Amino acid sequence: MILARYACDPALSRGRRYPEAPAPTRSDFQRDRDRIVHSTAFRRLVYKTQVFLNHEGDLFRTRLTHSLEVAQLGRSIARTLRLNEDLVEAIALAHDLGHTPFGHAGQDALNACLKNYNPESAGFEHNLQSLRVVDALEERYPAYNGLNLTFETREGILKHCSKANARHLEAREPGGVARRFLDAPDSFHGRQPSLEAQLANLADEIAYNAHDIDDGVRSGLLSLEQMEDVALFSQYRRETLQEHPALRGRRLLFEIIRRMLSAQVYDVMDATRLALQKAAPSDVQAVRQNLPLVCFSKEMALQSASLKRFLLQNLYRHRQVVQTTQAAQQVVRDLFEAYMTDPAQMPQTHIDRFDGIDTPHAAGAKPERVVADYIAGMTDRFAAKEHERLKGRAAFPV
Ligand code: MG
């Protein structure tokens, strides 16, 4: 397939931090994707929570299946827009590598632990942690830490970054992946990543909005009736029932979600095509100087926002979800305290990383960062087991 002129061309990549000879049969972005799939952090995603804790049921999404869905949606949109599918896939598969166990609850708790321990701490951000995993924490290659991915994949992984953390990164890698977060806040210019990164980001949103409805209904926390309040949902429910009046239960739900997903995917294709026609970027550099170009239409953006609000109010803040969330946060706090008090409770390879420096690119770090890295890398069930070992009681009622 011939790529669009504004797509990322692996032959024009800004390269890897440690130069390497090209692979004989694979492009640099394919190679990035393959390195991510073979990483330890990637395998751990299978036992990490998306919304529901891993032990709550076998059929709920985990971070792994979520990441695969993001890659699927991203690839099919990329192909239509003649963007680089391999790069979108690499970013999609890596985008959640830095997530703690227990989803956002775990991340918030770990961030609070770091800041309480040291008010000067950069805290914990999952996007930055994903970058830290691929840049520093994976130990697979003889000559360097991390996976040595291309600039373009790393740029896509660092979706958000606080100014303070961006300054740390910039100091180690001038003009690198954090540069765009340091530019003038009143201007969008120079602040966008590639179209492939923008697409992986939007595909993430489309994926979780859809699968959280599915998991929410499966868990019994959401009902189809309740979903009538969401325009995007009720519209396709009506349409489906007109065509299949006898359809009920899970097949009805799947068909509604399938139609919602299709509508959003085609909407992104059309709206992005229009935005690209209007902005007419000549190349990736011009994309980076522009406003965001991968987008929903105005109408779909509103519908997607209202679906998000609905899920926040009715699912993520559901009493039952909040209760497990609180238990999960306690596990993270207890683990942090236990390892800070007695680092010998951690494997020696982690203790060996204590060196008093806290920089985003280095595997060596201050003790609190090493502890945070260790906890962040845990799967839900490993964290729960460790908690039981250290505290002598189960954290979650089974
Ligand atoms: Mg995600």
Side-chain angles (χ1 to χ4, degrees), residues 88-342:
V88 174
E89 187 179 20
I91 297 169
L93 295 179
H95 86 283
D96 273 351
L97 290 179
H99 266 288
T100 61
F102 314 125
H104 284 278
Q107 166 186 304
D108 294 345
L110 197 52
N111 185 42
C113 287
L114 283 168
K115 296 224 152 141
N116 286 341
Y117 181 80
N118 174 6
E120 307 276 280
S121 164
F124 187 88
E125 296 173 18
H126 73 260
N127 287 299
L128 183 61
Q129 189 70 9
S130 297
L131 186 69
R132 185 164 164 72
V133 167
V134 301
D135 276 357
L137 298 180
E138 280 287 321
E139 297 174 333
R140 306 191 73 79
Y141 298 97
Y144 47 74
N145 283 327
L147 303 177
N148 197 28
L149 304 181
T150 60
F151 174 88
E152 291 75 12
T153 302
R154 297 174 56 244
E155 173 192 46
I157 291 172
L158 193 63
K159 184 172 88 180
H160 294 300
C161 187
S162 66
K163 289 237 166 192
N165 281 324
R167 267 182 235 112
H168 279 294
L169 281 168
E170 178 69 13
R172 298 277 302 214
E173 185 191 357
V177 288
R179 181 68 240 165
R180 67 191 172 97
F181 300 101
L182 294 171
D183 290 328
D186 55 332
S187 152
F188 268 106
H189 295 287
R191 293 171 62 82
Q192 305 311 314
S194 69
L195 294 168
E196 285 81 356
Q198 295 179 34
L199 175 52
N201 187 10
L202 198 53
D204 183 24
E205 200 175 304
I206 297 175
Y208 65 66
N209 276 338
H211 63 49
D212 288 351
I213 298 176
D214 184 11
D215 285 353
V217 173
R218 183 187 297 278
S219 67
L221 301 187
L222 295 179
S223 67
L224 286 190
E225 288 59 46
Q226 205 183 356
M227 293 294 308
E228 279 300 295
D229 296 347
V230 182
L232 194 58
F233 188 89
S234 63
Q235 172 189 344
Y236 292 106
R237 187 186 191 201
R238 249 193 332 273
E239 194 186 277
T240 306
L241 285 171
Q242 265 163 16
E243 281 177 48
H244 307 279
L247 209 56
R248 292 287 177 274
R250 300 213 53 79
R251 266 187 219 253
L252 173 60
L253 178 64
F254 288 148
E255 182 57 20
I256 301 167
I257 292 177
R258 194 183 67 75
R259 288 177 191 225
M260 278 175 57
L261 272 176
S262 292
Q264 291 176 84
V265 165
Y266 291 121
D267 184 88
V268 170
M269 288 173 181
D270 292 341
T272 303
R273 242 189 237 116
L274 276 178
L276 284 167
Q277 266 166 23
K278 219 168 133 197
S282 50
D283 57 14
V284 192
Q285 226 17 64
V287 165
R288 293 191 176 106
Q289 301 305 322
N290 231 296
L291 294 167
L293 294 170
V294 177
C295 54
F296 282 131
S297 65
K298 268 204 182 102
E299 193 190 337
M300 187 60 89
L302 288 173
Q303 290 200 321
S304 166
S306 92
L307 170 56
K308 258 191 185 166
R309 270 197 307 277
F310 174 89
L311 287 170
L312 178 67
Q313 282 158 9
N314 297 284
L315 183 61
Y316 311 142
R317 287 188 188 153
H318 191 286
R319 191 172 42 85
Q320 234 168 290
V321 172
V322 171
Q323 270 170 5
T324 354
T325 296
Q326 286 166 348
Q329 293 193 321
Q330 194 55 47
V331 169
V332 170
R333 283 192 291 268
D334 288 347
L335 289 177
F336 186 84
E337 201 199 303
Y339 299 131
M340 287 309 295
T341 312
D342 181 9

